[in-house]
Amino acid sequence: MDAQRVVQSISLGSRVAEEERDDLSTYFVETENWRKVYQGEADVIFAPKGGGKSAIYSMLMARENDFFDRGILLATAENPSGGTAFAEVEKEPPTSEAEFIGLWKIYFLTIVAQTLADYDLTSDPAMRLLAKLEEAGLLPPSTAGRRQLVRRAMDYVKTFFRPPASIEATMSVDPSTGAPMFVPKITFVEPSTEQRQAGSLFVDELFDLAEQALYDADASIWILLDRLDIAFADSAKLETNALRALFRVYRDLQTRRNIDLKIFLRSDIWESITREGFREASHITRDLRIEWNENTLLRLAVQRLLSSDQLRSHYGVDQQKVLSDIEQQRAFFYEVYPPQIDQGSKKPATIDWCLSRTKDGTGHNAPRELIHLLSEARNSQLNRFETGQAAPEGGTVFDRQAFKEALPTVSKVRLTQTLYAEHPSLRSYIEKLEGQKTRHNVPSLAAIWGATDAEAEKVAEQLVVIGLFEPRLNDFWVPFMYRPALAMVQGSAEGVVLADDE
């Protein structure tokens, strides 16, 4: 088979897990992290952006039937794609932490209730729960989407914390005074004697009913939350308030054996919401952090390459044999790709070149950028075949030039779709680095930005946090990932001592 047809057969998948659910199982790597989540040993999964948390989430949902056989019902708390279920929250955010906690609790209760109804669980606790939520106007049709559940939860909680009452509560008469009395169907503090006599229940009592209903059915429920970086993206303050309230609810529910929250969160967002202190952080012990190194990223790339029947046939390799040994994975990688991108005894091997070009200033490598680079290299190589350029050498099916042609696209996407999209307030400072040198100190940055040294240092520290800068002694170094998009020139700015690595 000719090299062009072999490269055409390669599909490295999407760089975004949400876009490859149908194919993910063919090259998903079942790591120890996966085992811990699958076996229920971890509740909170942290990972850098593009670090694989959504792939684990997607694989959980793909195995919904397996979980059902284990007595575990899976329910999502966020739309798996498209618009966020929490769009209405951004428009009318809760005004206090207590209101936000109430919102999360009511929302989760309605998800549990909807799941009980979907599985036709009709024990007495289940029916009492459904009846109480319906009485409070919180039980929409079974076809209602998550956004509608959030809207109803918002309206109810707003009524409780910000009266006057509406349809979710009734006005009754205090038997001792004859005065009108606000009687919510569900309360977020212990109801008064009069409220209880009028039918009010504390929200945690509804969780008791939910747990008993699941226990009676010999079942438990996992409520999965992913895409939280999108849910509250337009406001850092809203995101902090929402997520801190979420983790307080997680702590409240930890003692329940039949109701589990599974939270998938970007590690940089977690660091942001805990930077000024967060007492609940010390109580999060059932967590795991997804981290990647050269060997795990190499296996990821090789496993995706091996999904091509034509590629395996071309090189005559056995998929399982290759995946069973890291050295065989490395050897196969270098059958497909050239040994180096830049030639020379002091130049890095191809995998090291790829990792250095897809690493940000925090020092993290993530699968997303590596997959994107290899995918763009495939596109570049096919273009080289189609335009009659020189064939790859040494039995490989990729030319080193394909990688160099791929990098600018990866760089631009990362810059525009991550840094600019998530940190618009810093965009003007980043854009002024275009065409500049790659290593700076505070005075050189102050000159570029037209700022004082103190102002420049403050901005530089923010750029360190988001990964555009890597701090080196008293200087700031721009990683290779962002250089092409900013057309930067390698070297040190005037007044910065030239570094050996430049």
Side-chain angles (χ1 to χ4, degrees), residues 179-201:
M181 180 178 66
F182 173 61
V183 184
K185 303 299 182 183
I186 303 167
T187 69
F188 301 94
V189 294
E190 180 63 34
S192 67
T193 301
E194 292 78 10
Q195 287 175 328
R196 279 204 177 276
Q197 290 173 346
S200 294
L201 282 181

Side-chain angles (χ1 to χ4, degrees), residues 197-209:
Q197 290 173 346
S200 294
L201 282 181
F202 182 35
V203 65
D204 286 5
E205 293 176 282
L206 296 186
F207 277 104
D208 292 340
L209 290 174

Side-chain angles (χ1 to χ4, degrees), residues 426 429 442 445 449 451-465 469 476:
L426 295 173
Y429 296 100
V442 170
L445 292 172
W449 292 332
T452 65
D453 283 4
E455 292 168 339
E457 185 172 17
K458 184 177 180 180
V459 173
E461 288 172 352
Q462 292 177 276
L463 296 179
V464 168
V465 170
F469 282 165
F476 302 96

Side-chain angles (χ1 to χ4, degrees), residues 369-382:
E369 274 64 50
L370 176 61
I371 294 303
H372 192 193
L373 177 61
L374 296 179
S375 296
E376 290 297 333
R378 172 191 177 276
N379 296 339
S380 295
Q381 185 59 54
L382 287 175

Side-chain angles (χ1 to χ4, degrees), residues 12-25 27-28 49-62 80-81 226-227 230 264 290 292 300 304 367-369 371:
L12 291 150
S14 171
R15 62 193 187 90
V16 181
E18 294 93 328
E19 298 174 0
E20 58 177 5
R21 283 188 172 85
D22 294 339
D23 300 319
L24 189 59
S25 61
Y27 38 66
F28 180 74
K49 184 177 178 69
K53 61 180 178 56
S54 291
I56 292 178
Y57 172 92
S58 296
M59 285 303 299
L60 289 177
M61 295 308 302
S81 59
D226 191 26
R227 303 180 74 218
I230 297 172
F264 296 78
I290 302 175
W292 297 85
L300 174 75
R304 294 196 174 207
R368 180 173 297 179
E369 274 64 50
I371 294 303

Side-chain angles (χ1 to χ4, degrees), residues 410-476:
V410 177
S411 179
K412 183 177 180 180
V413 167
R414 174 74 181 202
L415 180 69
T416 58
Q417 295 186 15
T418 297
L419 293 196
Y420 287 168
E422 296 185 3
H423 309 283
S425 64
L426 295 173
R427 179 168 183 163
S428 62
Y429 296 100
I430 297 172
E431 288 179 332
K432 288 180 181 179
L433 295 173
E434 187 170 346
Q436 300 290 339
K437 295 294 183 71
T438 56
R439 188 163 186 147
H440 293 269
N441 58 18
V442 170
S444 69
L445 292 172
I448 292 170
W449 292 332
T452 65
D453 283 4
E455 292 168 339
E457 185 172 17
K458 184 177 180 180
V459 173
E461 288 172 352
Q462 292 177 276
L463 296 179
V464 168
V465 170
I466 68 172
L468 181 81
F469 282 165
E470 178 184 326
R472 295 193 173 184
L473 298 177
N474 296 319
D475 301 334
F476 302 96

